[in-house]
Amino acid sequence: GSTVQGRPYAIETAFPRWVQKSLEVRDPSRQWEMINCGGISYASYRLVSILEECLTHYQPDLIVLCTGQNEFLEERTYGDIKYASKPISWVRGQLGSWRLYQVMGQGWDQLRMLSGEQASVRSESLRPILPSEVDAFLDYENGLEAYHWDPEWRRGVTEHFERNVERMVRLCDEASVPLVILSPPVNLRSSPPFKSEHRADLSAAALDEWQRVVAKARSLYSEAPRDAIRWLQKAIDLDPQYGDTHFALGTLLEGMGRRYEARKSLVRAKELDICPLRILEPQRSALTRIANQYGLPFVDLHAFLEERSDYLSLGSDLLVDHVHPSIRGHQMIAGEVVRLFLAEGWVKSSERDWSEREEEIFSEHMDSLGAAYYV
């Protein structure tokens, strides 16, 4: 996605470019070329097709996969499959691998096409019907209104994400191309939920009480933060689903120096975001599990940057917004990727310390872009 593409800048300052610059310094015996396939708002279900094209037509020596931020941007539909009743869906699941059932389905689709109807997309992988360009909810006026608390949808999207990543792992394995998996970073400390929503069973009286408690907490933020924390905890007891309250609590705890408690609240606020534009913990866990299961090189970029942050919880010191690294953040990620390449034996480098020359090359590249690039 855009984390790879380099937004709000471009590929010239994204981590793949810094990886290439570093490799050129460390091992000039080879011609290095890092191709940045990052696309704005692209999620795993679009990356599968991109990877298939890369492996089929461009003979890459290595694939680096970093995904997980954009899974909830588009509505995924599967033709009549999405809206079928549970009994029908179960029958299709049982029969889907039968060749006769597939042929009958294809014949029915052809008849529908002849009659002027749009044929459903049917395949063993249930390919989603998507426009050629990303059609994100948030590109529309009042796009946030499309998002509501829907645990079942979240589970489905997460399962689909996991299947897509495993599919890409298998594609690389079949092509005998090494694969590296990166779990992307998120801004916990400086990015509140994009949308919060009360739990559906909250009564009018309980909502009134919640509003009173939150108002009391807000009145105490500056003068009595310890008391404000207690009032926010009361609000969370009334409605634990409202993400913004957890973020406010985390912010206050951070200010009081209670960093570990703060991080727990900030992670909870991210997980309760009704509009989840930051990778969720079940997705991050899926990436870790898949990497371990298949024995793949893996870097949790969030943990990596957080360890090098001035704070316990990653924030705007290394990210420019909710998910996108700063240019310095991209350079740090590139350094970790290069170290991984060295550890895997993919790069041959002498014992010489290249850091000074690398900094010089990085500086020259930055200067070559001109002031207009940064504006």
Side-chain angles (χ1 to χ4, degrees):
S2 55
T3 298
V4 173
Q5 190 265 357
R7 190 178 177 91
Y9 301 101
I11 63 174
E12 286 80 6
T13 51
F15 75 83
R17 180 60 55 90
W18 300 120
V19 169
Q20 180 173 323
K21 292 290 181 183
S22 180
L23 293 175
E24 289 170 348
V25 171
R26 292 172 180 269
D27 187 359
S29 66
R30 293 184 178 182
Q31 179 180 347
W32 298 98
E33 187 176 23
M34 292 287 291
I35 304 299
N36 190 328
C37 294
I40 301 298
S41 299
Y42 271 39
S44 62
Y45 42 87
R46 290 184 179 274
L47 298 188
V48 172
S49 297
I50 292 176
L51 180 60
E52 288 175 333
E53 180 181 350
C54 287
L55 294 173
T56 301
H57 299 293
Y58 298 102
Q59 294 81 50
D61 298 297
L62 174 73
I63 296 292
V64 179
L65 174 66
C66 179
T67 186
Q69 308 282 35
N70 300 321
E71 299 303 305
F72 296 89
L73 277 178
E74 291 184 275
E75 181 182 13
R76 266 74 58 76
T77 59
Y78 299 86
D80 55 349
I81 293 173
K82 175 180 177 181
Y83 301 103
S85 65
K86 289 185 178 180
I88 293 176
S89 297
W90 181 86
V91 171
R92 282 176 172 158
Q94 301 302 308
L95 300 179
S97 61
W98 291 14
R99 180 60 185 161
L100 177 60
Y101 177 80
Q102 294 173 16
V103 171
M104 291 171 63
Q106 292 165 3
W108 174 243
D109 285 343
Q110 291 172 1
L111 288 173
R112 292 176 64 185
M113 289 182 69
L114 290 173
S115 66
E117 293 186 40
Q118 174 68 41
S120 298
V121 175
R122 295 176 184 270
S123 72
E124 289 182 349
S125 61
L126 298 181
R127 291 180 177 272
I129 302 169
L130 290 169
S132 58
E133 296 299 329
V134 175
D135 187 26
F137 288 128
L138 296 178
D139 289 342
Y140 294 89
E141 185 177 1
N142 300 321
L144 272 175
E145 294 181 3
Y147 288 90
H148 297 285
W149 183 249
D150 189 343
E152 185 176 351
W153 179 53
R154 287 190 173 214
R155 283 193 296 271
V157 170
T158 299
E159 290 172 5
H160 190 198
F161 169 75
E162 191 167 353
R163 290 201 301 272
N164 288 330
V165 173
E166 288 192 290
R167 171 64 176 150
M168 288 186 275
V169 170
R170 290 194 296 271
L171 285 170
C172 287
D173 183 62
E174 291 166 3
S176 299
V177 175
L179 173 67
V180 173
I181 295 181
L182 308 178
S183 181
V186 300
N187 189 329
L188 290 176
R189 197 182 69 257
S190 312
S191 185
F194 284 90
K195 183 178 180 179
S196 297
E197 195 170 84
H198 289 289
R199 58 187 176 91
D201 61 346
L202 192 67
S203 67
L207 178 58
D208 289 342
E209 175 64 8
W210 180 90
Q211 291 172 337
R212 185 189 70 81
V213 169
V214 169
K216 180 65 175 178
R218 288 173 178 165
S219 70
L220 298 169
Y221 280 0
S222 301
E223 298 177 359
R226 286 186 176 84
D227 292 334
I229 287 172
R230 286 195 291 270
W231 282 98
L232 284 175
Q233 289 170 334
K234 290 180 180 180
I236 290 172
D237 289 339
L238 288 168
D239 185 2
Q241 183 184 292
Y242 202 81
D244 203 53
T245 320
H246 291 271
F247 181 80
L249 177 60
T251 301
L252 282 176
L253 290 169
E254 180 82 31
M256 297 290 293
R258 296 161 63 176
R259 298 182 302 163
Y260 291 95
E261 295 173 84
R263 192 181 190 283
K264 183 177 180 180
S265 292
L266 295 173
V267 171
R268 187 60 182 154
K270 172 179 71 76
E271 294 300 293
L272 290 170
D273 197 340
I274 302 301
C275 180
L277 303 184
R278 295 171 288 179
I279 186 172
L280 298 177
E281 294 308 297
Q283 296 170 261
R284 190 182 302 281
S285 298
L287 289 175
T288 304
R289 182 195 63 77
I290 291 170
N292 290 335
Q293 178 180 339
Y294 292 93
L296 301 174
F298 173 75
V299 179
D300 185 333
L301 295 182
H302 181 85
F304 168 75
L305 290 179
E306 207 164 49
E307 289 173 2
R308 287 147 186 84
S309 170
D310 295 331
Y311 303 88
L312 181 67
S313 300
L314 186 60
S316 56
D317 50 332
L318 292 174
L319 300 176
V320 299
D321 54 23
H322 61 299
V323 292
H324 300 111
S326 63
I327 293 176
R328 176 60 183 150
H330 276 287
Q331 291 175 338
M332 293 169 68
I333 290 170
E336 183 65 9
V337 172
V338 170
R339 281 189 286 274
L340 187 149
F341 286 5
L342 287 165
E344 293 293 327
W346 296 328
V347 179
K348 297 180 180 179
S349 182
S350 67
E351 296 299 321
R352 177 182 171 185
D353 182 8
W354 294 103
S355 58
E356 185 175 337
R357 177 57 180 157
E358 189 176 75
E359 288 182 12
E360 181 181 338
I361 293 295
F362 282 12
S363 180
E364 290 175 359
H365 178 66
M366 295 272 282
D367 292 342
S368 72
L369 298 174
Y373 178 85
Y374 302 98
V375 173

